Amino acid sequence: MSIVFGWNNFHIKTYTPKELNLTTADTSEYRVEVRQSYFHLFWIPFFGLGKKWAIRKEGKLYEVPSAMMETIRRQNIPVKTPWYTFAGPLLIIVGLAVWGLYEKVDQYNENSNEEARINQRAKILDSLLEHATDKHVITFVGVDGPNYGKVFHLKVEANSKDSIRALLVTTGKSQFEATPAVVEDYLSKYRDNLIEESYSKAYLKSGIPKTRAEDFGPARVAIQLMKEDTGHYQLKNIERYFGPIVHDRGTGGYGGNAISMEFSNQGWPSQIIALETVKGNLTWETPLPLEFPQANSLGNPGAYLRASGYTYGSPYTFKMTVQDSSGKKYVYLVEGVNLEKSVKLVEEK
C-alpha cells in the first residue's frame, strides 16, 4: 500500500479591504482571506505549516501584493490555528484512549469471569470433599519450596463427619504427568509403604482458593500435608478414580444442523454403550458401542460423538453411559451450549 502525503491549505477567516485598512471605502470587488497551510497524511491534517494571506476575486485566489501584505503584517492581526489542523495526532490519541479503555473493560470482564470460575470451582470441591468415597483421590499442587509444581495426592480411605483418613501418594510427577493411571499404578505397587493420615475437613478446605487473590500471588491459600515438609500445597481437584474418568476435550465442530464433540477417558479402558438426550433436539448418529480407550496426558485418543438436529447457540443436556471391562456402568450427565459443556458422574450401577 502506497503512503499518500503532502501539503495543502484551508480557509480560516475572511476580511473586507476596509477591515484591514487597505482602503477607506467599502468595496465588494475582492476579499482577503487567511488560510492555514498544513501537512497531511492520507489527506488527514497532521500539523500546521504556517498561515498565508490571499485575495479572493471572482471565485479565484490570488497572491497578495507585497505593499498590501506589508500593511497587513504591521497590524499584527491575531489569527488562531484551528484545532483540526492537528486532526491526525488527535485521532491517534483518541484511538489509543479508546483502545486502552477497551483493554481495561476486557480485562475487567476477564477478571470477573475468572473470579466466578474460581468461586464456582471452590463450591464444587467443597461439596466433593463432603461426599468423597474410598474411590476418590484428592489432588494437591505445590506452590512453593522444592516441590513447586509437583503433584501430591490423598487417596481417601474413610470419610467421617469432620475428618478424612487418607493415604499420602507422592509420585514425584508434575501435574501433567501424574495421570490417574500413574497414581493407580503407584498405589498398587507401594500401598503398604504409604503414610496414612487423618485430616480435618476444615483444614483441607482451607487449601481451596475461592478468589483470584487466594489462587495466585502472595495472598494465595495453601496448606502443609506433612509435618517434616515446610512446603505448601493447594487443593486443585477431587475425582473418582478406579474406573473410567470422562473429561470434555473442548474440541469438535458444526456442519449444517449437526454437532460433533470429543471426550477423553483418563481412567480405565471402557465403552460408550448409550446416549440419551434429556434436553434439546440431539439425534445421535454415532454407532454404539464405541470403544473408549484410556487417554494419555494430552487426552489422546478420544471418543468422537456426532448428533444431528442441533441449532447453534441452543442449550442441550444428555446422558452418556460408559461401561468398563468388568461390566460396571457409569452414567455421566453432559450439559452445555455449542462446545462449552460440563461433564458430571451422576450414577454408578
Side-chain angles (χ1 to χ4, degrees):
M1 181 181 69
S2 61
I3 299 176
V4 180
F5 65 93
W7 47 90
N8 206 335
N9 61 81
F10 56 78
H11 170 263
I12 300 177
K13 193 170 183 179
T14 298
Y15 294 92
T16 65
K18 186 176 181 180
E19 288 174 324
L20 295 174
N21 299 310
L22 300 177
T23 178
T24 57
D26 290 326
T27 176
S28 59
E29 185 178 350
Y30 66 91
R31 293 290 183 266
V32 180
E33 294 183 359
V34 187
R35 303 186 68 83
Q36 176 69 55
S37 297
Y38 63 91
F39 171 81
H40 70 81
L41 186 63
F42 294 108
W43 298 283
I44 301 173
F46 262 72
F47 54 82
L49 298 174
K51 298 178 181 64
K52 60 184 294 185
W53 295 77
I55 291 176
R56 181 171 292 278
K57 184 177 182 180
E58 297 177 351
K60 296 181 180 180
L61 289 175
Y62 299 92
E63 188 175 349
V64 178
S66 56
M68 187 182 292
M69 192 66 241
E70 183 62 28
T71 301
I72 295 172
R73 192 175 291 115
R74 285 199 300 267
Q75 298 178 67
N76 292 321
I77 301 170
V79 182
K80 294 182 179 180
T81 301
W83 64 267
Y84 43 85
T85 305
F86 308 97
L90 289 173
L91 285 173
I92 292 174
I93 293 171
V94 171
L96 289 174
V98 171
W99 179 77
L101 180 62
Y102 171 80
E103 285 290 303
K104 288 183 179 179
V105 171
D106 189 57
Q107 186 63 47
Y108 174 80
N109 290 335
E110 183 177 333
N111 291 343
S112 297
N113 292 337
E114 183 69 4
E115 285 283 357
R117 185 188 67 80
I118 293 171
N119 186 260
Q120 180 63 23
R121 183 185 67 186
K123 291 178 181 178
I124 292 172
L125 292 176
D126 188 288
S127 176
L128 286 171
L129 193 63
E130 289 292 338
H131 301 95
T133 70
D134 60 359
K135 303 295 184 183
H136 282 80
V137 173
I138 306 171
T139 301
F140 290 84
V141 176
V143 298
D144 57 19
N147 289 321
Y148 177 83
K150 289 186 178 179
V151 175
F152 284 62
H153 299 88
L154 293 181
K155 191 275 176 186
V156 177
E157 293 290 284
N159 187 348
S160 63
K161 180 180 178 182
D162 299 316
S163 65
I164 283 180
R165 186 161 51 84
L167 295 172
L168 180 62
V169 182
T170 56
T171 62
K173 302 291 186 180
S174 73
Q175 59 188 109
F176 303 106
E177 299 170 318
T179 63
V182 170
V183 175
E184 290 180 21
D185 183 62
Y186 190 94
L187 273 165
S188 67
K189 291 179 179 177
Y190 307 108
R191 184 185 184 90
D192 293 341
N193 300 319
L194 298 180
I195 298 172
E196 186 172 319
E197 292 277 359
S198 182
Y199 300 88
S200 76
K201 289 182 179 178
Y203 181 66
L204 292 177
K205 289 179 181 180
S206 68
I208 301 175
K210 299 176 179 62
T211 65
R212 278 176 57 87
E214 291 181 352
D215 203 15
F216 305 99
R220 68 171 54 181
V221 297
I223 60 175
Q224 288 180 263
L225 292 177
M226 298 166 283
K227 294 178 182 178
E228 68 277 10
D229 181 4
T230 58
H232 294 83
Y233 305 85
Q234 278 189 346
L235 197 162
K236 290 293 188 181
N237 196 24
I238 302 173
E239 196 158 30
R240 196 249 192 240
Y241 280 33
F242 311 102
I245 303 173
V246 180
H247 290 165
D248 170 36
R249 291 204 68 194
T251 53
Y254 315 94
N257 68 339
I259 183 172
S260 61
M261 54 188 76
E262 186 181 13
F263 298 86
S264 66
N265 174 18
Q266 297 289 332
W268 295 358
S270 305
Q271 288 183 325
I272 299 175
I273 61 171
L275 295 167
E276 177 190 349
T277 301
V278 177
K279 179 181 178 180
N281 298 311
L282 299 179
T283 300
W284 296 100
E285 299 179 351
T286 304
L288 299 178
L290 177 67
E291 294 299 321
F292 206 179
Q294 184 181 76
N296 58 30
S297 59
L298 298 178
N300 293 313
Y304 282 93
L305 304 180
R306 178 181 170 85
S308 60
Y310 182 67
T311 302
Y312 183 84
S314 61
Y316 55 81
T317 302
F318 65 90
K319 290 181 180 180
M320 178 197 308
T321 302
V322 178
Q323 180 175 280
D324 65 24
S325 57
S326 70
K328 188 170 184 178
K329 298 175 183 178
Y330 308 79
V331 181
Y332 290 86
L333 187 69
V334 181
E335 297 178 288
V337 176
N338 300 335
L339 296 181
E340 296 290 330
K341 52 193 171 296
S342 63
V343 182
K344 181 180 179 182
L345 177 63
V346 293
E347 185 181 358
E348 298 181 37
K349 54 186 178 179

